[in-house]
Amino acid sequence: DIQMTQSPSSLSASVGDRVTITCRASQSISGHLNWYQQKPGKAPKLLISAASSLHSGVPSRFSGSGSGTDFTLTISSPQPEDFATYYCQQSYSIPLTFGGGTKVEIK
Amino acid sequence: DVQLVQSGAEVKKPGESLRISCTGSGYRFSNYWIAWVRQMPGKGLEWMGIIYPGDSDARYSPSFQGQVTISADKSISTAYLQWSSLTASDTAMYYCARHQSGTSSNLDYWGPGTLVTVSS
């Protein structure tokens, strides 16, 4: 199985700060990396697919980059509704494993 | 609109069997894989497996192979996740999600989840 490691596991940020979350794969996954957002008590939502493609309806303050083994999710100016838990997922090979999650909290 | 509707919360005893469901609408159900994802209380997401309703081809994570069975009935646009003998460690929220295949493979639509509680 491909292991996905996210860092940090949690962070505190103020509204308007720049937030960066990293995700590392245990082997190269090319650009087959997705990002999801999950709020408490809700199902996850797709934010970004194929490392950098914004899903329909996702605000442009979210962006993704990377290829191979190292990937980044950036929130350029987080809004109150962006405080949530974020997960990366590799879609390179079955099983399609998730990272452990990054909880983004308001400072 | 694409929608995935999941069956309601379940409370079961250890050793009991269970089948939960996920019904899709707003798209051609037979043509998209459906994934099942587990989230244990306070924990992260775990990909369990996937099924193609068109021919019921199912793939499993090694962590869940033999522990659960994934099936589908394309005639009623429904996928299932079932257990033959539950244990307390099966207590979790279970999500189904539509798997978008291709070069940009992802889980683009999710159901609201089914909470399964196993307790004596």
Side-chain angles (χ1 to χ4, degrees):
Chain A
D1 299 4
I2 298 174
Q3 308 303 316
M4 305 301 293
T5 304
Q6 282 183 241
S7 60
S9 57
S10 66
L11 65 89
S12 296
S14 300
V15 172
D17 283 351
R18 185 181 187 87
V19 168
T20 300
I21 299 168
T22 63
C23 179
R24 175 164 287 176
S26 60
Q27 66 183 72
S28 177
I29 58 172
S30 186
H32 298 278
L33 192 283
N34 306 313
W35 290 98
Y36 301 88
Q37 176 193 66
Q38 186 180 33
K39 297 182 180 179
K42 299 294 187 182
K45 290 184 178 180
L46 177 65
L47 290 178
I48 289 171
S49 62
S52 59
S53 295
L54 223 56
H55 187 56
S56 174
V58 175
S60 59
R61 59 183 179 270
F62 290 92
S63 63
S65 64
S67 67
T69 60
D70 294 314
F71 300 86
T72 300
L73 172 69
T74 300
I75 313 173
S76 60
S77 181
Q79 299 304 296
E81 62 269 27
D82 299 337
F83 292 90
T85 300
Y86 294 85
Y87 294 92
C88 62
Q89 182 210 26
Q90 62 84 13
S91 56
Y92 183 78
S93 67
I94 286 174
L96 305 184
T97 42
F98 289 92
T102 297
K103 186 174 184 178
V104 178
E105 298 176 300
I106 298 178
K107 186 181 289 183
Chain B
D1 287 1
V2 174
Q3 250 193 321
L4 295 172
V5 176
Q6 295 188 236
S7 49
E10 301 275 0
V11 179
K12 291 289 191 179
K13 290 182 166 42
E16 292 185 331
S17 63
L18 175 65
R19 187 177 76 168
I20 62 175
S21 66
C22 170
T23 300
S25 62
Y27 72 101
R28 191 175 290 273
F29 187 78
S30 296
N31 290 6
Y32 289 81
W33 295 80
I34 289 287
W36 286 96
V37 175
R38 183 175 79 174
Q39 188 167 39
M40 299 178 77
K43 301 299 184 183
L45 304 173
E46 299 174 89
W47 188 90
M48 302 176 71
I50 200 167
I51 189 163
Y52 190 73
D55 61 6
S56 290
D57 180 14
R59 318 280 176 86
Y60 294 86
S61 165
S63 299
F64 293 94
Q65 180 86 47
Q67 308 306 308
V68 297
T69 301
I70 296 172
S71 60
D73 184 343
K74 65 181 179 182
S75 70
I76 55 172
S77 300
T78 300
Y80 302 98
L81 178 65
Q82 68 182 68
W83 295 259
S84 59
S85 182
L86 289 159
T87 69
S89 62
D90 294 315
T91 294
M93 181 71 82
Y94 293 89
Y95 295 102
C96 65
R98 189 179 81 163
H99 177 93
Q100 179 74 257
S101 298
T103 55
S104 178
S105 171
N106 57 73
L107 301 176
D108 61 351
Y109 290 93
W110 293 66
T114 295
L115 180 62
V116 174
T117 303
V118 183
S119 175
S120 55

